[in-house]
Amino acid sequence: MTFSSNGVSADEHVHDVLIIGSGPAGFTAGLYAARANLNPILFTGQEYGGQVSLTYEIENYPGFPEALGGPELVERMKLQAERFGLKVEFDYVTELDVDEHPFTLRTEAGKVYRTRSVIATTGARPRYLHIPGEEDLTGRGVSYCATCDGFFFRDKDVVVVGGGDSALEEGLFLTKFASRVRVIHRRDEFRASKILQDRATKHDKVEFLLNKVVTSIHPGAEGTVTNIDLKDTVDGADSNIETDGVFIFIGHIPNNDLYRKDFHLDDEGYLVTDKHMRTNVPGVFAAGEIQDKVFKQVATSVGQGCAAAMQAGKFIEDLETHPFAGKHADPRELDPDVLSFVQA
Ligand code: NAP
């Protein structure tokens, strides 16, 4: 054990691969890195399992025709990776320093790790509406997770905000508890897949309030949601409806705090990678929703995690023959598809 300049104990050992994040991309990277004898450590972050662990049922992950719960899928991925030697730390990475190689990671538990490569799989978090009442009433009628909170709305009236897969899928899940689920969407066309649109339209507990946005959420005497203000996006008319719960599913924001200083992010804050999952910092790879704003599926995250681990292995192998160029490495090394961005 040595001590870093800030007096925190540091692991002398230089690791080959450290993985940040515990969703499907992270555990798949862990599985592949472990099987390649890279002795990976995975840091779970504050939300173990990431977004998939908040998903009630996954019907489109190949190999599970009968569907399975998100938390169960994550647990199976963890067990499988651990079987080959992945070490899982229930700790949160607070700093990733890529000024020098080996890189340095600092965690909330006060630990310092040095590593030759990093795989970033920190995912994304729900987007907020940023309207009056939303923050104050979160946990008291406002929710971003039907799986977590649906149970509290037995025989109650709820609204779901959004027109994507999440809104309709979670809305359908809420019909197990709520007496009525109204989907509020700002347009009259949906981004959601046809199959979910069909299911929602046919469900007798689901209703639609189209061309509407929620502008304010109000509590009653008990401090929980009782009614919301709406605005019509076509004619501008204001209205108010009573409801007990507001479930918001309007997309996600990448968890990019660790990467803002040294990494190329796109205009929405996603990490830019080439098709080999490389970021602009050689030795740092990314997979899953931190770098994917298009597909966002468990199946795609798993594939990206696998590719990132294979590339990390290749990077470590190449270190023996190629001098390391550090974070100021020549971006021409990167795929031409991302080059225009990197050069901008
Ligand atoms: P999304 O597809 O980006 O949809 C977000 C929805 O929220 C859109 O309908 C959007 O309206 C609406 N919205 C955004 N900002 C808003 C605002 N400020 N006020 C009101 N409405 C707003 O997000 P998602 O549903 O979370 O899905 C993300 C990705 O995960 C997608 O690729 C999706 O296919 C995938 N996913 C898949 C499954 C599945 O396969 N079973 C399940 C869940 C998610 P507009 O349409 O007008 O832009």
Side-chain angles (χ1 to χ4, degrees):
M1 199 66 99
T2 57
F3 286 87
S4 66
S5 52
N6 63 3
V8 178
S9 64
D11 190 344
E12 232 170 47
H13 178 70
V14 177
H15 298 270
D16 279 332
V17 185
L18 298 181
I19 299 161
I20 315 174
S22 55
F27 279 121
T28 308
L31 171 67
Y32 274 75
R35 283 175 59 86
N37 285 335
L38 297 171
N39 303 312
I41 301 178
L42 179 149
F43 299 93
T44 59
Q46 281 158 344
E47 284 166 29
Y48 172 64
Q51 292 180 74
V52 70
S53 64
L54 303 178
T55 306
Y56 168 67
E57 208 169 55
I58 297 169
E59 290 181 330
N60 54 4
Y61 187 60
F64 296 89
E66 66 292 342
L68 83 173
E72 187 190 347
L73 180 60
V74 168
E75 207 48 37
R76 281 169 173 253
M77 289 181 175
K78 174 172 176 277
L79 286 174
Q80 189 175 1
E82 282 178 328
R83 192 177 133 212
F84 295 101
L86 175 70
K87 204 169 155 217
V88 177
E89 290 286 347
F90 286 82
D91 199 356
Y92 180 76
V93 176
T94 53
E95 195 184 330
L96 167 59
D97 182 346
V98 295
D99 276 340
E100 284 176 17
H101 193 262
F103 308 127
T104 304
L105 250 78
R106 293 188 171 77
T107 73
E108 200 168 52
K111 292 198 177 151
V112 181
Y113 297 80
R114 296 171 68 221
T115 182
R116 294 184 182 87
S117 76
V118 169
I119 300 177
T121 68
T122 44
R125 62 183 182 280
R127 186 187 294 282
Y128 302 136
L129 280 170
H130 297 294
I131 55 170
E134 182 182 17
E135 193 180 342
D136 289 348
L137 292 166
T138 294
R140 284 183 289 148
V142 174
S143 171
Y144 304 86
C145 178
T147 318
C148 319
D149 300 327
F151 181 79
F152 301 111
F153 292 85
R154 192 172 288 282
D155 300 324
K156 303 233 165 163
D157 182 288
V158 300
V159 300
V160 164
V161 185
D165 280 331
S166 300
L168 295 198
E169 193 167 78
E170 304 294 316
L172 283 163
F173 172 71
L174 286 167
T175 60
K176 291 176 190 293
F177 308 100
S179 54
R180 176 168 62 167
V181 177
R182 281 177 285 183
V183 178
I184 300 174
H185 181 34
R186 63 185 177 184
R187 296 188 291 147
D188 60 3
E189 281 176 18
F190 289 86
R191 251 172 231 279
S193 59
K194 189 81 180 58
I195 187 169
L196 285 172
Q197 288 189 46
D198 285 350
R199 269 191 222 166
T201 311
K202 284 183 191 144
H203 201 291
D204 58 5
K205 280 190 183 177
V206 178
E207 295 172 18
F208 294 93
L209 292 170
L210 301 180
N211 298 319
K212 301 262 187 297
V213 286
V214 184
T215 53
S216 199
I217 306 171
H218 304 288
E222 290 177 8
T224 56
V225 169
T226 52
N227 65 93
I228 59 176
D229 294 337
L230 302 176
K231 186 175 266 306
D232 192 292
T233 54
V234 177
D235 62 16
D238 293 316
S239 56
N240 178 279
I241 60 168
E242 290 186 2
T243 190
D244 304 304
V246 182
F247 285 81
I248 300 167
F249 302 106
I250 58 164
H252 296 93
I253 299 171
N255 294 320
N256 62 12
D257 288 357
L258 293 172
Y259 322 115
R260 291 207 192 124
K261 184 164 140 277
D262 298 298
F263 290 82
H264 293 292
L265 305 175
D266 74 6
D267 51 4
E268 290 172 57
Y270 289 84
L271 263 175
V272 174
T273 54
D274 66 9
K275 66 185 176 201
H276 297 287
M277 317 319 296
R278 295 181 295 190
T279 68
N280 61 297
V281 179
V284 181
F285 305 85
E289 284 195 33
I290 183 59
Q291 56 83 57
D292 169 21
K293 60 180 178 191
V294 179
F295 300 111
K296 301 178 168 212
Q297 303 296 303
V298 178
T300 47
S301 290
V302 158
Q304 292 155 4
C306 159
M310 291 175 79
Q311 287 299 316
K314 184 172 180 306
F315 172 81
I316 288 158
E317 235 175 81
D318 287 352
L319 275 181
E320 288 173 20
T321 47
H322 291 66
F324 183 74
K327 87 171 179 192
H328 302 296
D330 187 342
R332 281 170 298 191
E333 292 261 311
L334 284 172
D335 188 277
D337 289 349
V338 281
L339 197 55
S340 56
F341 179 82
V342 170
Q343 286 174 333

